[in-house]
Amino acid sequence: ATTFTQTLSLIYNQTYYVSVRATNGAGLTTTSTSDGLTILAPCGTPTGIAVSSITTTSATVSWTAVSGASSYTVQYRPTGGTWTSSNSTTNTINLSGLSSTTVYEVQVTATCASGTSNASSVATFTTLTPCGTPTGVAVSSITTTSATVSWTAVSGASSYTLQYRPTGGTWTSVVVTSNSANLTGLNSA
């Protein structure tokens, strides 16, 4: 058997046919022609990795769609940990079951007819810290129409929603940014 190698400059997504003709010493020839061979373009690497809707236990990852991709594999992990893989047929995926207050790394590969792409650049995000429960609620400076409510500040809290009502009445909500509130316009019993 003889092996023949020829380097050719071929065009992606173009179909090529190969024909081989053998000639013997008597000048007799036979020809063999291949079925069509299409040169597939390599699968592009996903770009534009973005992470949004980050909560204490979930996040949404999106990226620029790769032309010709039939699916994507998203790998994520706590920084330096073991990769976890999830598959998607679109260019977005919601990751759940994450740990709070943790830095995560994420990367994406695309799968096309020609194979799997290189992994994207690694993007990082940090899950949120859960908000603690206010404690030490105290009421002071009580008058017939007002009162001051205070509580122990919660680390990382940006606001508090204080709800109050007369016994059996409708709740009134007040949003404040400190750990105390003055209630006015109360009705005396």
Side-chain angles (χ1 to χ4, degrees):
T2 301
T3 301
F4 174 77
T5 302
Q6 176 70 44
T7 301
L8 305 171
S9 294
L10 304 176
I11 299 170
Y12 294 131
N13 300 319
Q14 175 70 44
T15 301
Y16 293 89
Y17 298 90
V18 177
S19 177
V20 178
R21 177 178 291 165
T23 305
N24 66 13
L28 299 174
T29 63
T30 58
T31 303
S32 174
T33 303
S34 71
D35 293 332
L37 171 68
T38 301
I39 305 302
L40 299 175
C43 200
T45 301
T47 59
I49 311 302
V51 184
S52 60
S53 302
I54 301 168
T55 70
T56 56
T57 59
S58 66
T60 299
V61 181
S62 60
W63 54 92
T64 304
V66 173
S67 178
S70 57
S71 66
Y72 301 91
T73 299
V74 178
Q75 291 185 302
Y76 60 97
R77 67 180 180 183
T79 301
T82 301
W83 291 108
T84 298
S85 296
S86 290
N87 296 318
S88 177
T89 55
T90 65
N91 63 322
T92 186
I93 192 168
N94 185 51
L95 305 179
S96 59
L98 305 177
S99 298
S100 63
T101 321
T102 302
V103 178
Y104 279 88
E105 298 175 314
V106 62
Q107 64 184 13
V108 182
T109 57
T111 300
C112 305
S114 61
T116 301
S117 74
N118 291 326
S120 69
S121 331
V122 172
T124 61
F125 66 95
T126 304
T127 51
L128 300 180
T129 301
C131 199
T133 302
T135 60
V137 177
V139 181
S140 61
S141 304
I142 301 170
T143 70
T144 56
T145 60
S146 67
T148 299
V149 181
S150 61
W151 55 91
T152 304
V154 174
S155 177
S158 58
S159 67
Y160 301 90
T161 301
L162 172 67
Q163 293 184 305
Y164 63 95
R165 70 176 181 181
T167 302
T170 303
W171 288 103
T172 299
S173 295
V174 177
V175 177
V176 296
T177 56
S178 67
N179 63 321
S180 68
N182 294 316
L183 306 179
T184 58
L186 303 176
N187 295 324
S188 60

